[in-house]
Amino acid sequence: MVKVICNATPLINFASINRLDILKYLFTEIVIPQAVYSETVESGFPNSETIVNGIEAAWLKVKSVQEMPESIPLELDAGEKEVIALALSEQTTRVVLDEKRARKVAQSLRLNVIGTLGILILAKQNQIIPKVKPLLDAMMTEAQYWVNESLYDNVLQAVSEDEIE
């Protein structure tokens, strides 16, 4: 169990299916930068109250970025930049990012990256959830989370849910 700094997309994916608790069970501390808070709670997306509840219960923490390192490319969005900046400033090596470009930047800065799909796999491996497929399907429907077909199949194979039911 570790501390993670989380971007908006994974947060929205889990909040949209009312399963933010999965993050709480997997990680000792979950931090979101101010930009991610703005992107999720202040934008008022459906189910943003689940994020507010996590903050009020103090297992989800909002932190401001004090300094933006020059090593972080400007073309990343505000949340992605702040996730990486917070990880570097707090010497937290694990970040939760889904977007490919942000993941590459984080990895180049020696951060450990996990995304929504990795968290679903980890949750099943740790017996927090019985199956990945229903949650992944719900995210794709509720949060419009896009996963290409081969990646979808690979994830289900990884957790032995690829058999025809």
Side-chain angles (χ1 to χ4, degrees):
M1 297 263 278
V2 289
K3 172 181 175 178
V4 294
I5 300 178
C6 188
N7 193 28
T9 304
L11 205 60
I12 290 168
N13 287 336
F14 286 96
S16 69
I17 62 166
N18 288 308
R19 289 307 310 262
L20 269 181
D21 62 304
I22 292 171
L23 298 175
K24 184 172 77 169
Y25 292 126
L26 284 174
F27 306 111
T28 50
E29 187 180 346
I30 302 137
V31 175
I32 61 171
Q34 188 62 47
V36 169
Y37 178 82
S38 299
E39 201 176 320
T40 55
V41 174
E42 290 172 358
S43 71
F45 90 96
N47 294 49
S48 61
E49 74 278 355
T50 59
I51 296 169
V52 172
N53 293 343
I55 294 165
E56 287 172 354
W59 60 264
L60 190 57
K61 295 175 174 57
V62 180
K63 291 195 176 170
S64 296
V65 171
Q66 304 305 317
E67 187 181 336
M68 187 61 64
E70 288 178 23
S71 56
I72 300 173
L74 295 173
E75 65 267 11
L76 297 182
D77 80 22
E80 295 162 351
K81 287 190 286 199
E82 288 194 10
V83 164
I84 294 168
L86 264 184
L88 294 172
S89 71
E90 298 200 358
Q91 296 172 337
T92 300
T93 61
R94 187 164 289 256
V95 293
V96 185
L97 293 163
D98 278 342
E99 293 75 11
K100 189 183 267 183
R101 195 173 55 208
R103 291 170 69 94
K104 282 185 174 164
V105 169
Q107 288 164 335
S108 75
L109 295 168
R110 304 201 186 305
L111 298 174
N112 294 317
V113 180
I114 190 168
T116 297
L117 300 175
I119 289 170
L120 286 171
I121 292 169
L122 204 56
K124 182 167 182 184
Q125 290 168 342
N126 285 281
Q127 300 174 332
I128 293 165
I129 59 172
K131 285 190 169 284
V132 167
K133 188 178 186 312
L135 298 182
L136 181 51
D137 290 346
M139 285 177 182
M140 292 168 75
T141 304
E142 300 300 320
Q144 280 80 53
Y145 182 51
W146 187 83
V147 179
N148 75 42
E149 198 174 332
S150 68
L151 185 56
Y152 180 89
D153 292 341
N154 289 345
V155 167
L156 296 183
Q157 269 181 326
V159 292
S160 304
E161 290 181 31
D162 55 332
E163 66 280 347
I164 313 242
E165 295 181 22

